[in-house]
Amino acid sequence: DIVMTQSPLSLPVTLGQPASFSCRSTESLVHRDGSTRLHWFQQRPGQSPRRLIYDVSNRDSGVPDRFSGSGSGTDFTLKISRVEAEDVGVYYCMQGTEWPWTFGQGTKVEIK
Amino acid sequence: EVELVESGGGLVQPGGSLRLSCAGSGFMFNSYVMHWVRQAPGKGLESVAAISGSGDRTWYAKSVKGRFTISRDNSKNTLYLQMGSLRTEDMAVYYCAREYPDGSPDFRGQGTLVTVSS
């Protein structure tokens, strides 16, 4: 199975400041169709996960443009340009390139 | 509006069985690969099983293979997960999800909690 490793696991941030999370995979996530199936999810406290970013850098409908994704191959990053209070929660990267889908351990974002 | 409503969770003893259901609406159910993804208390997300739109292909995580069976009834727009030989490590919230074309889950429900305890 492809292993996804996120860092840091916990990220205290100041409101209005940027935040950045890393995600690495043990194998290239380039799919046979040429896409890179690396996706990011947000899970707010007490809620189900919600997809934010698909295929490395595409924001889902309704996702604020302060969220951005980048990376390639095995190394990926999610950035929040200015953290807001509603961004508190756990962020997961996930690969959909091969079965089984695998998720990172999550990065917990909290406000300082 | 797309909806997925999970049900069937509850308390079961180790070694017992349980069947989860997921009712879909607001989309062409039989056109989507469907998944079960679980989340143990305070832990991350884990893929459990998936099934093709027609139901002729299934995939399982190694941790559940031989114990769980995923199935679907497209006439009822319903996905199932039959769980057997349950272990304490199977305790989790179970989410059903439809698969986006890009190979990621579309979570629409609140999940159903399975508690395995004597």
Side-chain angles (χ1 to χ4, degrees), chain B residues 94-116:
Chain B
Y94 284 73
Y95 297 100
C96 75
R98 64 175 187 167
E99 181 175 322
Y100 283 115
D102 52 52
S104 66
D106 182 11
F107 296 103
R108 295 281 179 155
Q110 292 304 305
T112 186
L113 176 63
V114 172
T115 302
V116 183

Side-chain angles (χ1 to χ4, degrees), chain A residues 18-86:
Chain A
S20 180
F21 329 130
S22 170
C23 174
R24 288 193 168 93
S25 58
T26 52
E27 299 174 32
S28 171
L29 299 186
V30 177
H31 190 264
R32 58 182 177 272
D33 68 6
S35 67
T36 299
R37 298 189 171 190
L38 183 283
H39 317 295
W40 290 95
F41 290 80
Q42 175 194 62
Q43 188 172 32
R44 291 174 171 149
Q47 295 187 12
S48 302
R50 162 203 181 198
R51 197 178 70 174
L52 297 177
I53 301 280
Y54 63 95
D55 289 357
V56 180
S57 59
N58 299 283
R59 271 190 307 277
D60 273 279
S61 175
V63 174
D65 61 9
R66 64 179 182 272
F67 289 93
S68 63
S70 62
S72 63
T74 62
D75 203 346
F76 305 92
T77 302
L78 177 68
K79 292 182 180 176
I80 310 176
S81 58
R82 294 173 305 279
V83 173
E84 297 189 7
E86 65 179 18

Side-chain angles (χ1 to χ4, degrees), chain B residues 14-38:
Chain B
S17 300
L18 207 58
R19 188 176 85 154
L20 306 183
S21 300
C22 170
S25 60
F27 65 102
M28 288 195 63
F29 187 79
N30 61 6
S31 295
Y32 284 82
V33 175
M34 296 295 295
H35 291 254
W36 288 100
V37 177
R38 68 184 179 185

